[in-house]
């Protein structure tokens, strides 16, 4: 095969058995890889009603057709499983170097099934794999684990692991690779922890064959020279300031969620911005495999009580750990973000869950005794302490570890959880960007911006400007963004490339890499196929159309200030049109004709 | 009136992130740009393609463009092409 390697590793942790299987080339062509292909395998092998933390759930770590090929920003792998946070299908995506290394070692993906009785790690080296004891690693941070395992195996090995949060089955735990890159959302780290799988260490010295080398190389170089580098976002803004340059931008638009989404303007936003980070803790920028954008931020807090080094915060983390909790102490936010990487926590869900807890406390629904500490807006020390407690499920952390929806429901006030399908929203208040509201409501993994980034046309004006305050045309745009994103994720390239390129460039890279005649239409069809497959999984899991909604605050409480003052999300104006455009029934179920057209019947 | 610029546009205000301008009555965005050019020579030149102008958080593309009113107490933001997530 070209682009793909053609082999998959299957690891049964219950039996301690490892086997190598051929990749089904027909499925690879239809689903590309990563998010798409792994979702298809999960759908075929795991009944959707399965308990996410039981041995019957499987964890698939899959690369895409372009991962590791040298295509633009082709570093990605996806962790696909049933989510213990949402009950939906989970597909969490990460960059760095682990994904390409897996292909260099001779595998497109790994299917992990069953569960070990004692902690183990998997060592994969050039076509071979073995299960080893991880007894000495249990309880250690992702950074400690990586250092120890590289010492035990190969200094050039790439390591993916969970921290204490995954071990403790924290529902907002992530999987971390290359120390600071994360498959962050939907609690995929808890699934790995439930299998007692501490890490997967990979070393590969092989290569990847592409079908038409010259055409592939010329296409990639043309995209680099004429699209990505000259683009003001991918060539200037992201390299210079990282994603956190959005802090001031989104705040200026009045949709920077503050105090658990009670308003959209944070007075001290600049104190936690990318510009401020560049003036203070930024040491250098950092890139993933074959990425010319280099949005990663290596950061060091040189002294004081938060002294530490690591990466980030990214925009989302700066918001969740900062503005959403009313915190403008950048050192505390940065330290908490470093801890999230080390302990294996999703900073979006953590920050939003803490913000929810502060509001519950303030309203008297969570007592001082239950919390075990005082909770108040703007307290950086509280944030750092809560992060450590959550990863270990101690005290307040045991409540936060369940995510905001379960925590708030347990305390009798689910309406204070800013989530859809129990996953916390990211850093955009949809009352001032209606399209992102529709995307949150319909996202197949719950509250999420990177399933269909409507902020791009609504706020950033790319590829064209759409008025963020209106609902006109938002259903069609949301569908297109969701489908294109599913294809990008399945190909194994970074979503950030789409600020500079679109489906035509993706189709060209896929065509020359795989030798298959991918076109714009075929690429978007792959995305639509993946989207519908995910929907089928969720429906079979019992997640029905009534869950395509938003937190009551966003639907009923008008934005109190700023350009969206007086507005709520007009979901009812968009959702029926969205279902229709998707070829779904009024109940949000894909029609037979739709499934037949997509080859899913 | 407060004029603010972000990230890569900071050079347009001589390295500052914002300035306060005092005036009586309502300007248009076009008049504001002329005033900024007067106070910060080269300002307009630095507004490369893709820069968004917001008046009180609303992109002037959805208002009256360069003819949009700028009241004396307005916050005007100049935003370079940005992205993230």
């Amino acid at each position: 095969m070209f682009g793909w390697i053609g082999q998959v590793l299957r690891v049964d942790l219950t039996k301690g058995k490892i086997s190598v299987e051929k990749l089904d080339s027909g499925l690879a062509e239809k689903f590309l890889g990563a998010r798409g292909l792994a979702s298809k395998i999960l759908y075929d092998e795991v009944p959707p009603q399965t308990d996410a933390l039981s041995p019957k759930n499987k964890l698939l770590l899959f690369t895409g057709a372009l991962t590791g090929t040298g295509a633009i920003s082709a570093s990605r792998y996806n962790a696909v499983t049933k989510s213990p946070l949402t009950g939906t299908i989970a597909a969490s995506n990460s960059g760095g170097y682990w994904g390409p290394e897996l292909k260099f070692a001779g595998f497109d993906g790994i299917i992990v099934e069953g569960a070990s009785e004692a902690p183990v790690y998997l060592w994969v080296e050039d076509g071979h794999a073995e299960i080893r004891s991880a007894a000495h690693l249990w309880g250690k941070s992702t950074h400690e684990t990586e250092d120890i395992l590289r010492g035990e195996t190969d200094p050039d090995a790439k390591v993916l692991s969970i921290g204490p949060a995954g071990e403790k089955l924290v529902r907002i735990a992530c999987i971390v690779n290359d120390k600071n890159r994360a498959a962050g959302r939907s609690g995929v780290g808890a699934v790995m922890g439930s299998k007692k799988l501490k890490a997967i260490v990979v070393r590969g010295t092989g290569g990847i064959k592409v079908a038409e080398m010259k055409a592939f190389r010329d296409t990639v170089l043309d995209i680099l020279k004429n699209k990505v580098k000259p683009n003001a976002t991918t060539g200037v803004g992201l390299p210079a300031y990282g994603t956190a340059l959005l802090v001031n931008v989104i705040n200026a638009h009045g949709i920077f969620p503050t105090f658990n989404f009670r308003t959209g303007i944070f007075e001290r936003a600049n104190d936690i911005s990318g510009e401020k980070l560049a003036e203070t803790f930024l040491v250098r920028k950092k890139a993933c495999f074959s990425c010319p954008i280099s949005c990663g931020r290596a950061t060091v807090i040189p002294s004081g009580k938060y002294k530490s080094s690591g990466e980030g915060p990214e925009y989302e983390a700066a918001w969740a750990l900062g503005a959403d909790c009313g915190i403008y102490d950048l050192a505390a936010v940065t330290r908490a973000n470093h801890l999230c990487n080390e302990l294996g926590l999703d900073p979006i869900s953590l920050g939003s869950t803490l913000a929810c807890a502060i509001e519950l406390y303030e309203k008297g629904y969570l007592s001082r005794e239950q919390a075990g500490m005082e909770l108040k807006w703007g307290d950086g020390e509280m944030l750092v302490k809560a992060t450590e407690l959550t990863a270990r499920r101690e005290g307040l952390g045991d409540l936060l570890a369940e995510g905001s929806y379960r925590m708030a429901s347990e305390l009798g006030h689910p309406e204070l959880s800013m989530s859809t399908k129990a996953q916390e929203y990211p850093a955009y208040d949809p009352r001032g960007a209606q399209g992102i509201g529709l995307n949150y409501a319909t996202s197949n993994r719950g509250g999420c911006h990177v399933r269909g980034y409507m902020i791009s046309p609504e706020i950033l004006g790319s590829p064209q400007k759409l008025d963020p305050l209106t609902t006109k045309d938002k259903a069609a745009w949301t569908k297109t963004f969701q489908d294109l994103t599913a294809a990008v994720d399945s190909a194994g390239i970074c979503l950030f490339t789409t600020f500079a390129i679109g489906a035509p460039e993706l189709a060209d890279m896929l065509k020359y890499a795989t030798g298959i005649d991918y076109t714009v239409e075929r690429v978007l069809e792959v995305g639509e196929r993946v989207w519908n497959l995910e929907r089928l999984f969720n429906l079979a899991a019992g997640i029905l159309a009534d869950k395509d909604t938003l937190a009551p605050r966003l639907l009923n409480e008008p934005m109190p200030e700023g350009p969206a003052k007086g507005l709520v999300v007009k979901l009812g104006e968009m959702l029926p049109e969205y279902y229709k455009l998707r070829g779904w029934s009024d109940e949000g179920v894909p029609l037979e004709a739709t499934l037949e057209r997509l080859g899913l019947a | 009136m407060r004029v603010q610029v972000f990230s890569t546009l900071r050079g347009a205000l001589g390295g500052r992130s914002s300035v306060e301008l005092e005036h009586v009555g309502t300007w248009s965005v076009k008049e504001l740009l002329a005033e900024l050019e007067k106070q910060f020579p080269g300002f307009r030149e630095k507004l490369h393609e893709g820069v968004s102008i917001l008046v009180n958080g609303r992109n002037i593309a959805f208002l009256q463009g360069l003819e949009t009113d700028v009241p004396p107490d307005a916050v005007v933001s100049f935003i370079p092409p940005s992205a993230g997530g």
Side-chain angles (χ1 to χ4, degrees):
Chain A
M1 294 178 84
F2 297 105
W4 300 281
I5 299 295
Q7 286 198 130
V8 172
L9 197 60
R10 188 180 289 271
V11 181
D12 184 331
L13 291 175
T14 302
K15 296 178 184 155
K17 192 179 148 206
I18 294 173
S19 54
V20 176
E21 299 176 1
K22 269 186 77 172
L23 180 69
D24 182 326
S25 58
L27 285 186
E29 185 175 337
K30 274 176 79 177
F31 292 93
L32 286 181
R35 176 176 159 191
L37 183 59
S39 294
K40 171 62 177 161
I41 296 170
L42 187 84
Y43 184 75
D44 288 345
E45 296 190 6
V46 175
Q49 299 274 357
T50 300
D51 175 354
L53 297 177
S54 78
K56 288 183 180 162
N57 193 9
K58 299 187 184 187
L59 174 65
L60 292 90
L61 301 150
F62 265 66
T63 63
L66 293 178
T67 306
T69 58
I72 296 291
S73 307
S75 66
R76 318 297 289 188
Y77 73 91
N78 265 244
V80 174
T81 188
K82 179 169 175 176
S83 164
L85 182 68
T86 63
T88 66
I89 195 166
S92 281
N93 177 327
S94 180
Y97 293 81
W98 190 89
E101 192 79 8
L102 182 65
K103 284 178 85 169
F104 302 155
F107 300 103
D108 293 294
I110 303 175
I111 303 168
V112 181
E113 51 194 37
S116 173
E117 282 188 11
V120 292
Y121 77 90
L122 185 69
W123 165 232
V124 182
E125 183 185 28
D126 282 333
H128 302 282
E130 63 180 89
I131 299 167
R132 293 179 171 183
S133 170
H136 58 307
L137 301 168
W138 211 244
K140 297 213 178 298
S141 75
T142 60
H143 287 203
E144 291 167 325
T145 300
E146 176 157 341
D147 289 341
I148 292 168
L149 287 176
R150 288 174 83 161
E152 278 180 22
T153 57
D154 186 312
D156 289 326
K158 305 296 182 283
V159 180
L160 164 160
S161 68
I162 54 169
E167 295 173 14
K168 296 280 186 186
L169 310 184
V170 171
R171 289 182 195 271
I172 55 174
C174 56
I175 294 172
V176 177
N177 59 281
D178 303 291
K179 288 194 173 173
N180 298 297
R181 298 285 104 199
R185 306 227 65 198
S186 307
V188 293
V191 175
M192 195 159 150
S194 74
K195 299 186 178 308
K196 291 272 197 305
L197 179 62
K198 179 67 179 174
I200 303 178
V201 191
V202 181
R203 178 69 181 122
T205 57
I208 300 168
K209 289 180 193 155
V210 297
E212 295 180 53
M213 188 56 186
K214 185 173 184 317
F216 178 74
R217 194 181 55 211
D218 290 348
T219 300
V220 172
L221 289 175
D222 179 60
I223 291 170
L224 177 66
K225 193 176 156 199
N226 297 314
K227 298 279 166 68
V228 174
K229 281 293 181 188
N231 182 281
T233 298
T234 54
V236 183
L238 281 171
Y241 293 104
T243 56
L245 95 167
L246 277 190
V247 168
N248 279 324
V249 173
I250 301 302
N251 196 52
H253 281 86
I255 59 167
F256 194 53
T258 300
F259 304 128
N260 200 32
F261 282 77
R262 290 202 289 206
T263 184
I265 296 173
F266 187 44
E267 210 175 304
R268 304 294 293 263
N270 190 53
D271 290 341
I272 54 168
S273 67
E275 292 93 323
K276 183 62 81 176
L277 193 69
E279 290 165 12
T280 54
F281 306 134
L282 178 67
V283 179
R284 63 188 168 89
K285 58 186 183 178
K286 217 173 156 185
C288 296
F289 179 89
S290 77
C291 182
I293 302 172
S294 312
C295 71
R297 308 284 97 176
T299 48
V300 172
I301 304 171
S303 59
K305 61 185 172 184
Y306 301 130
K307 184 178 175 182
S308 62
S309 64
E311 281 185 38
E314 304 290 335
Y315 167 65
E316 296 292 339
W319 158 75
L321 305 171
D324 204 33
C325 297
I327 294 169
Y328 53 85
D329 177 351
L330 185 59
V333 170
T334 303
R335 176 61 184 142
N337 188 68
H338 289 169
L339 281 171
C340 283
N341 288 337
E342 292 164 23
L343 303 174
L345 282 168
D346 167 10
I348 297 179
S349 283
L350 174 71
S352 186
T353 302
L354 181 58
C356 177
I358 299 169
E359 185 168 355
L360 287 162
Y361 187 95
E362 189 182 59
K363 289 191 153 87
Y365 305 142
L366 171 63
S367 69
R368 171 79 173 72
E369 195 185 1
Q370 285 169 302
M373 58 196 277
E374 192 187 353
L375 300 180
K376 60 178 191 286
W377 304 110
D379 186 343
E381 282 188 28
M382 167 202 67
L383 167 70
V384 172
K385 190 174 173 193
T387 306
E388 289 169 337
L389 291 174
T390 302
R392 298 194 160 82
R393 277 191 177 271
E394 291 170 2
L396 172 72
D398 201 30
L399 267 179
L400 301 177
E402 291 294 292
S404 65
Y405 186 77
R406 284 178 177 78
M407 175 186 69
S409 298
E410 179 73 22
L411 296 167
H413 291 276
E415 75 280 4
L416 296 182
S417 164
M418 296 301 120
S419 64
T420 284
K421 302 182 180 81
Q423 177 158 280
E424 292 73 17
Y425 302 126
Y428 313 92
D429 193 314
R431 288 173 290 192
Q434 298 282 319
I436 198 72
L438 177 62
N439 176 66
Y440 289 167
T442 58
S443 157
N444 283 329
R445 66 172 188 177
C448 171
H449 57 303
V450 287
R451 296 293 96 155
Y453 192 56
M454 285 297 289
I455 293 302
S456 195
E458 292 188 296
I459 299 295
L460 309 175
S462 171
Q464 72 179 63
K465 290 185 177 74
L466 297 182
D467 188 337
L469 302 187
T470 69
T471 56
K472 188 172 177 293
D473 298 331
K474 298 297 171 66
W477 276 85
T478 299
K479 176 185 179 295
T480 302
F481 265 64
Q482 289 175 339
D483 290 348
L484 177 62
T485 302
V488 166
D489 289 347
S490 301
I493 65 171
C494 178
L495 186 58
F496 285 1
T497 59
T498 59
F499 294 117
I501 67 171
E505 292 81 6
L506 177 58
D508 281 347
M509 289 192 287
L510 282 168
K511 180 171 65 180
Y512 296 128
T514 64
I516 295 167
D517 190 24
Y518 284 108
T519 58
V520 169
E521 292 73 26
R522 278 190 79 179
V523 162
L524 287 171
E525 189 184 77
V526 169
E528 189 179 7
R529 183 178 296 124
V530 173
W531 192 268
N532 277 272
L533 182 79
E534 292 171 336
R535 180 75 174 185
L536 291 177
F537 185 99
N538 291 348
L539 290 169
I543 315 279
L544 307 178
D546 63 320
K547 298 288 194 294
D548 293 340
T549 188
L550 296 168
R553 173 163 292 165
L554 305 178
L555 295 171
N556 305 322
E557 293 178 26
M559 183 71 104
E561 59 183 329
K565 184 176 178 178
L567 289 182
V568 296
V569 182
K570 298 168 194 159
L571 187 61
E573 290 182 12
M574 300 181 281
L575 198 56
E577 187 188 356
Y578 173 86
Y579 283 172
K580 199 171 167 190
L581 287 168
R582 280 239 166 264
W584 295 355
S585 71
D586 293 344
E587 288 75 42
V589 178
L591 299 171
E592 202 55 36
T594 304
L595 297 179
E596 271 175 26
R597 178 171 59 80
L598 297 170
L600 292 172
Chain B
M1 169 194 312
R2 183 152 53 95
V3 174
Q4 52 187 21
V5 294
F6 298 135
S7 62
T8 53
L9 285 181
R10 282 192 169 179
L13 292 181
R16 275 176 285 186
S17 58
S18 68
V19 292
E20 299 286 338
L21 297 181
E22 280 190 26
H23 76 101
V24 180
T26 294
W27 280 343
S28 67
V29 171
K30 199 191 286 179
E31 288 167 328
L32 170 65
L33 286 170
E35 180 63 25
L36 286 167
E37 181 64 32
K38 202 157 65 180
Q39 293 196 25
F40 301 94
F43 183 87
R44 286 204 72 151
E45 206 173 83
K46 293 194 171 70
L47 301 186
H48 49 78
E49 197 188 342
V51 169
S52 299
I53 303 173
L54 313 187
V55 174
N56 289 331
R58 276 290 271 165
N59 194 320
I60 62 168
F62 308 119
L63 300 171
Q64 284 76 48
L66 293 174
E67 299 305 324
T68 301
D69 284 349
V70 186
D73 60 348
V75 176
V76 183
S77 310
F78 291 86
I79 299 180
S82 310

